[in-house]
Amino acid sequence: MQQNKLGLWMLTALVVGNMVGSGIFMLPRSLAEAASPLGVIFAWLLTGGGVLMTALVFGNLAIRKPDLNGGPQIYAKELFPKESSASILSGFMSSWGYWIGNFAGNVAIITTFSSYLSTFFPVLTSKQSLFTIGSTDIKLGNLLTFLVCTVLLWGMHFIILRGIEGAGKLNFIATAAKVLGFFLFIVISLFAFEKSNIGSFVAPRYDEAGHTISLLGQINNAAVATLWAFVGVESAIVFASRARKQSDVKRATILGLLIALAIYIGISVLVMGLLPQKQLIQSEKPLVDAIQTILGPSGGYILAGLGLVSLLGSTLGWVLLSAEVPYQAAKQGLFMRSFLKENKKGMPSFSLILSNGLAQIFIFSTISNSMSAAFDFVIYIATLAYLVPYFIASVFQLKLTLTGETYEKAGKSRIVDGIIALLATVYSVWVIITGTADIKTFMLGVALLASGIFFYPQVKKAAQKTEKKQKLSA
């Protein structure tokens, strides 16, 4: 059965769709609060440059190591001697953390979808009490939100089970619609842009103690915020084994990054010119408030509709990603063998059911405050789940250029790729240090990775059986 059915544009749509999700609607406010306009621009350039280096690393590895599929975390096992305990452990632990981060983050997108849907159906925010379970008061709005989130999650589940090509086409349509919508927003904003709203390009920002934050400090704060806008840039490499051509993986990664970067910079800068800085910093829905200054109240409905389309595409893409990561890791002998189970369409059925089943547990956070605390815990510690694999891929690419593996007849390209890998590694280290400066974040991140230890013996046993079979058949 041919499973390689994702072409360049479908892969690009996965990258853009997964990168441009719910974050774009709040990013202008958080950036305006973190830095001056000049600081925001520099932060985008810094983060965009760093992520571009990382994207080039992903693309190079997809071509040079086409047998290593499933995402950047897979390369962890290649940093150690083949089939060694260190190789299996590092590959499994990085895949484990990345998987948990994926399905937990997906729940955040699904619950955000329900909040945008409430613009059209206010009953979703109803505080009317229906009944009480123990000490938990169940409200009408919360119950309806839970049902909406559940239907969306399992609706995407059954769409994906019907095959990668159909899911890819649907994701492409949703992504194309939201890209067009955001570019129209940018064009409209250009005509209503008021330079006076931006104020001074180097307007000071202050910390909680009232001290002035330097421009470098502002850039640092804003760069950490902008990083989350780029999570998902690795989407094409996760689906490399389903691509029609391996060269399309690199093209889709770079093209998707550039499209997303254009949208992010355009919107974050233009919104500063549509709303006064004080209003923007205090806004809970900056894009909606910005479009209402141009189109009036009807603009809010337009943005809410665009948000729903955006989140539908992102949900489909991230549910796909959440199931694909452990499935591909299992193929590499780095995850439990049960995750290898496929349906007749070649889709990872067991992985999909378990990933969405775990996501469903966290969707209960929409009706229970106690579950909300657990959900916030997972989302908080999932930060390392995205940062560490980027670092791993960069180090692995650097290792290839230093050892010369896959570069036997490539002199100049080896030097260029080495420089790119070094820059990507330095960038990854800086982001990890900055993102985990708080000891609580660091300790919770370690807890996330450590939770997979319970399943490691199964993975190691399966890997040893596979190795024994390979030696007997050799």
Side-chain angles (χ1 to χ4, degrees):
M1 184 185 296
Q2 185 184 3
Q3 296 180 18
N4 299 333
K5 296 180 180 178
L6 293 176
L8 173 63
W9 291 109
M10 285 190 187
L11 287 168
T12 303
L14 278 169
V15 175
V16 177
N18 286 351
M19 287 178 68
V20 184
S22 58
I24 191 170
F25 293 93
M26 288 305 297
L27 202 57
R29 186 206 64 78
S30 58
L31 288 177
E33 186 176 19
S36 64
L38 185 62
V40 169
I41 293 173
F42 277 133
W44 276 120
L45 292 175
L46 176 63
T47 310
V51 176
L52 176 60
M53 295 299 105
T54 307
L56 288 170
V57 164
F58 292 159
N60 288 337
L61 291 176
I63 295 172
R64 294 192 171 277
K65 288 288 184 178
D67 56 313
L68 298 177
N69 299 306
Q73 77 289 344
I74 288 292
Y75 302 122
K77 75 183 185 76
E78 298 296 313
L79 297 176
F80 301 95
K82 191 175 181 181
E83 307 301 341
S84 67
S85 296
S87 173
I88 299 169
L89 178 62
S90 61
F92 166 67
M93 294 301 282
S94 58
S95 296
W96 172 264
Y98 189 65
W99 176 52
I100 290 179
N102 279 337
F103 75 71
N106 193 33
V107 174
I109 295 174
I110 291 173
T111 52
T112 303
F113 176 89
S114 67
S115 72
Y116 278 92
L117 194 62
S118 67
T119 302
F120 303 97
F121 302 99
V123 69
L124 290 171
T125 60
S126 173
K127 300 297 182 183
Q128 178 185 342
S129 180
L130 294 178
F131 52 87
T132 301
I133 300 178
S135 59
T136 304
D137 188 26
I138 306 300
K139 296 180 173 59
L140 175 61
N142 289 356
L143 181 61
L144 291 175
T145 297
F146 167 75
L147 293 174
V148 166
C149 292
T150 300
V151 169
L152 176 59
L153 175 66
W154 294 102
M156 293 300 175
H157 175 91
F158 289 111
I159 287 173
I160 292 169
L161 282 178
R162 297 182 66 180
I164 189 69
E165 191 171 16
K169 287 180 179 178
L170 187 59
N171 181 71
F172 176 79
I173 292 170
T175 301
K178 72 177 175 184
V179 168
L180 179 61
F182 284 127
F183 273 114
L184 285 175
F185 176 90
I186 290 171
V187 171
I188 293 172
S189 300
L190 284 171
F191 289 99
F193 188 85
E194 290 288 345
K195 189 177 178 181
S196 58
N197 283 334
I198 290 184
S200 172
F201 243 64
V202 289
R205 292 293 184 269
Y206 304 94
D207 59 20
E208 294 179 357
H211 301 130
T212 302
I213 302 174
S214 66
L215 180 60
L216 286 177
Q218 293 177 33
I219 294 171
N220 190 66
N221 293 338
V224 173
T226 57
L227 173 69
W228 307 118
F230 293 103
V231 169
V233 69
E234 71 279 7
S235 297
I237 200 171
V238 173
F239 293 96
S241 66
R242 300 182 186 274
R244 286 178 184 157
K245 293 189 296 183
Q246 289 301 305
S247 59
D248 283 345
V249 174
K250 183 174 183 177
R251 290 187 206 166
T253 301
I254 303 304
L255 185 58
L257 171 61
L258 294 177
I259 292 172
L261 187 59
I263 292 173
Y264 278 128
I265 293 178
I267 287 179
S268 60
V269 172
L270 288 171
V271 169
M272 289 182 181
L274 297 178
L275 295 174
Q277 286 294 294
K278 288 185 179 179
Q279 183 182 345
L280 175 57
I281 291 173
Q282 295 173 357
S283 175
E284 294 184 357
K285 46 185 190 311
L287 262 66
V288 172
D289 290 344
I291 201 70
Q292 283 181 343
T293 63
I294 307 171
L295 303 178
S298 60
Y301 289 101
I302 294 173
L303 249 299
L306 181 58
L308 291 176
V309 173
S310 175
L311 292 164
L312 275 174
S314 294
T315 301
L316 179 58
W318 280 106
V319 171
L320 261 172
L321 201 70
S322 298
E324 191 75 6
V325 166
Y327 168 69
Q328 292 294 345
K331 277 189 169 184
Q332 301 285 340
L334 301 174
F335 227 73
M336 289 72 81
R337 293 187 62 82
S338 53
F339 282 81
L340 290 171
K341 187 177 180 180
E342 301 176 346
N343 68 0
K344 293 179 181 179
K345 296 287 187 178
M347 301 306 293
S349 52
F350 177 82
S351 181
L352 196 60
I353 289 171
L354 188 58
S355 297
N356 289 342
L358 291 170
Q360 179 69 62
I361 293 174
F362 288 102
I363 285 177
F364 277 103
S365 66
T366 57
I367 58 174
S368 167
N369 289 331
S370 59
M371 281 300 296
S372 291
F375 173 66
D376 290 342
F377 169 80
V378 173
I379 289 298
Y380 195 57
I381 62 177
T383 55
L384 279 178
Y386 295 112
L387 297 176
V388 173
Y390 292 3
F391 169 72
I392 288 170
S394 302
V395 171
F396 179 54
Q397 171 72 76
L398 191 59
K399 177 186 174 183
L400 292 183
T401 58
L402 291 174
T403 61
E405 185 182 350
T406 73
Y407 285 94
E408 288 78 7
K409 298 180 180 179
K412 188 176 180 180
S413 63
R414 178 180 173 183
I415 295 173
V416 172
D417 288 353
I419 294 172
I420 290 172
L422 180 61
L423 292 173
T425 301
V426 171
Y427 172 75
S428 299
V429 169
W430 169 71
V431 171
I432 290 173
I433 291 173
T434 304
T436 58
D438 176 56
I439 189 63
K440 182 180 179 181
T441 307
F442 177 75
M443 294 306 295
L444 291 177
V446 171
L448 166 70
L449 296 175
S451 64
I453 284 292
F454 300 105
F455 301 95
Y456 173 65
Q458 298 178 38
V459 175
K460 186 176 181 180
K461 188 176 180 180
Q464 289 173 340
K465 282 185 178 180
T466 302
E467 182 184 4
K468 189 175 181 180
K469 285 181 181 179
Q470 290 175 345
K471 286 181 178 179
L472 290 173
S473 60

